[in-house]
Amino acid sequence: MRLTIEGARVIDPASQFDEITDLHIAAGHILAIGAAPEGFSPNQRIDARGLIACPGLVDLNVSLREPGYSRKGSIASETRAAAAGGVTTLCCPPDSRPVLDTPAVAELILDRSQAAGNARVLPIGALTKGLEGEQLSELVALRDAGCVAFTQGLAPMGSNRILRRSLEYAATFGLTIIFTPQDADLAEGGMAHEGPTASRLGLVGIPESAETVALARDLLLIEQTGVRAHFSGLTSARAMDMLADAQARGLPVTADVAAYQLLLCDEDLTGFSSQLHVMPPLRSADDRRALRQAVQGGVVQAIASHHQPHEAEAKRVPFAASAPGISSVEILLPLTMTLVADGLLEMPAALSRVTTGPAAALGLSAGQLNQGGVADITLFDPAQACEIGRNWLSRGANCPFIGKGAPVAVTHTLYGGKLVYQTP
């Protein structure tokens, strides 16, 4: 397909390019930015006047629910939802069934995502077999099968000794480890942030120290082993201080926060809505303020959806009995753009947190627009407010933002030069 996108405001945070111009695409790549090459004749044109064209979004945490959880979602359904949200590259965690701890599971996910053709899927492998925290997975074989990083998620390690040995092994082979710090003993039985709201509602709390104690341990072991590390889904103000201090000392660590953590806090739990049950939990308004400031200042380089679709029955129960997680890949861009609407970030900086920032964190070749590069492009209307959920594509409708307004609307998504989404 030969395609011309006409008159868009083209923003590429990686190169700081920001101009109203045209994009010319052929054979899945960006042939030119600006004037069309001599003899170029597109067979499709998109009138993008008034729209913003940016790199396809890069989302570091999208649960696809396949294999093993077909009632919650599938690779086909959730990558369609990703495309509708402007996401062209996504990383899926290893919480499938079976766990993504063998090359066979990684290859299955890659084969099915390529067959779906909606977005580039990059598997994250399990650090230990079965995520049981005892025996190291075959990390090099998983890397060779396509895994771009490794994690335990919220599953605990059997001991600090096992964790240290795992990080030493990963460092030897230059592998990236993703941490979601939460001390299992301190968090045991909890479902909400430990504070006045949880006490008033009678919910068992998870203290901030569950995150910060684990984070302190992880930072010390990262410094000792030299492993490449990324922190995913941090939630507390104290964690932001610790992360900033580590970066100031030269420790090469990056981090992301869940987009919904930038808008919600534990005070929103007053209605006991199971749609707000997430793990790690929504923390205090002060914590939310600190997360937003860390995103603004660049301590946090990436915003991710932390998409976790569920079937209706998983949320149609009391708060304490519900499955944690929000279906959110379709609203990563709108939630991020609220930071622009609130005056926290300028448009290019906000876009960097969902494009070049996450790509750089894991060393991915994505999240930028350049001549000759792959044509992964998102077009959105910065002036068109829309109702979230009107054209919902994820199999999971467990989203507290459905029915609410969004400040922007994705109009087109191109993945490898192919139009994979267009506003109905």
Side-chain angles (χ1 to χ4, degrees):
M1 175 182 287
R2 298 184 306 280
L3 173 68
T4 291
I5 298 172
E6 299 177 320
R9 178 186 172 188
V10 178
I11 300 177
D12 177 35
S15 64
Q16 299 184 340
F17 183 89
D18 186 350
E19 291 183 14
I20 295 176
T21 189
D22 300 339
L23 294 167
H24 308 281
I25 297 156
H29 290 74
I30 299 173
L31 195 61
I33 300 175
E38 186 175 350
F40 179 75
S41 178
N43 42 32
Q44 183 176 355
R45 295 178 184 270
I46 296 176
D47 182 357
R49 287 172 294 180
L51 304 182
I52 290 177
C54 70
L57 274 55
V58 180
D59 194 336
L60 296 181
N61 197 314
V62 178
S63 290
L64 298 175
R65 302 309 197 193
E66 186 179 357
Y69 299 96
S70 59
R71 68 189 183 280
K72 298 179 183 289
S74 68
I75 289 171
S77 70
E78 302 318 298
T79 56
R80 277 197 303 272
V87 175
T88 57
T89 298
L90 61 90
C91 298
C92 63
D95 56 355
S96 53
R97 189 174 58 191
V99 168
L100 206 173
D101 60 2
T102 64
V105 178
E107 289 162 4
L108 181 148
I109 290 171
L110 289 170
D111 287 347
R112 293 189 181 177
S113 64
Q114 288 166 7
N118 298 312
R120 183 178 301 101
V121 173
L122 304 174
I124 295 172
L127 183 59
T128 62
K129 291 186 176 179
L131 292 173
E132 294 174 354
E134 297 293 339
Q135 189 174 357
L136 197 63
S137 299
E138 297 177 5
L139 302 186
V140 173
L142 284 166
R143 177 200 65 188
D144 294 344
C147 290
V148 296
F150 301 89
T151 189
Q152 275 294 104
L154 289 170
M157 293 294 285
S159 69
N160 289 335
R161 179 180 60 82
I162 295 173
L163 176 58
R164 178 189 170 188
R165 298 305 182 202
S166 300
L167 301 186
E168 289 173 339
Y169 182 87
T172 300
F173 291 95
L175 307 177
T176 300
I177 303 300
I178 297 176
F179 296 85
T180 302
Q182 181 166 281
D183 184 282
D185 292 328
L186 289 172
E188 185 176 7
M191 63 198 71
H193 171 60
E194 185 178 274
T197 298
S199 297
R200 185 172 66 254
L201 299 177
L203 299 173
V204 179
I206 298 176
E208 172 203 86
S209 58
E211 178 168 276
T212 54
V213 165
L215 176 59
R217 175 203 63 185
D218 296 341
L219 286 170
L220 288 170
L221 290 177
I222 290 164
E223 189 169 15
Q224 183 176 42
T225 61
V227 72
R228 293 204 316 242
H230 176 79
F231 287 97
S232 181
L234 295 177
T235 64
S236 67
R238 181 62 181 139
M240 296 299 101
D241 291 339
M242 295 167 69
L243 183 65
D245 177 69
Q247 292 172 346
R249 290 188 290 107
L251 206 59
V253 291
T254 55
D256 71 66
V257 297
Y260 53 76
Q261 292 275 5
L262 299 172
L263 278 78
L264 302 170
C265 68
D266 65 338
E267 294 171 12
D268 296 304
L269 301 181
T270 302
F272 287 100
S273 172
S274 61
Q275 303 287 15
L276 298 173
H277 183 192
V278 293
M279 195 61 60
L282 299 174
R283 297 206 180 271
S284 71
D286 288 341
D287 290 311
R288 178 182 59 187
R289 188 177 305 109
L291 295 185
R292 290 165 68 95
Q293 291 171 347
V295 169
Q296 180 185 41
V299 172
V300 170
Q301 300 86 353
I303 300 172
S305 70
H306 289 256
H307 174 71
Q308 292 185 295
H310 287 294
E311 73 280 19
E313 290 74 16
K315 290 288 191 178
R316 199 180 292 139
V317 291
F319 187 96
S322 64
I326 290 175
S327 179
S328 51
V329 71
E330 288 171 74
I331 56 173
L332 174 59
L333 183 61
L335 295 189
T336 300
M337 287 299 105
T338 61
L339 304 181
V340 177
D342 292 345
L344 195 74
L345 292 174
E346 297 294 328
M347 180 71 73
L351 289 175
S352 76
R353 302 300 189 267
V354 289
T355 57
T356 184
L362 295 193
L364 309 177
S365 56
Q368 53 188 303
L369 298 177
N370 51 64
Q371 187 170 323
V374 176
D376 292 348
I377 302 169
T378 296
L379 289 171
F380 65 95
D381 189 338
Q384 179 186 334
C386 65
E387 181 183 322
I388 292 173
R390 179 168 292 179
N391 299 301
W392 199 253
L393 295 181
S394 171
R395 193 170 294 175
N398 52 300
C399 178
F401 299 98
I402 286 179
K404 297 182 179 180
V408 303
V410 174
T411 61
H412 303 77
T413 304
L414 280 76
Y415 165 51
K418 174 187 173 185
L419 190 60
V420 291
Y421 175 78
Q422 184 171 356
T423 302

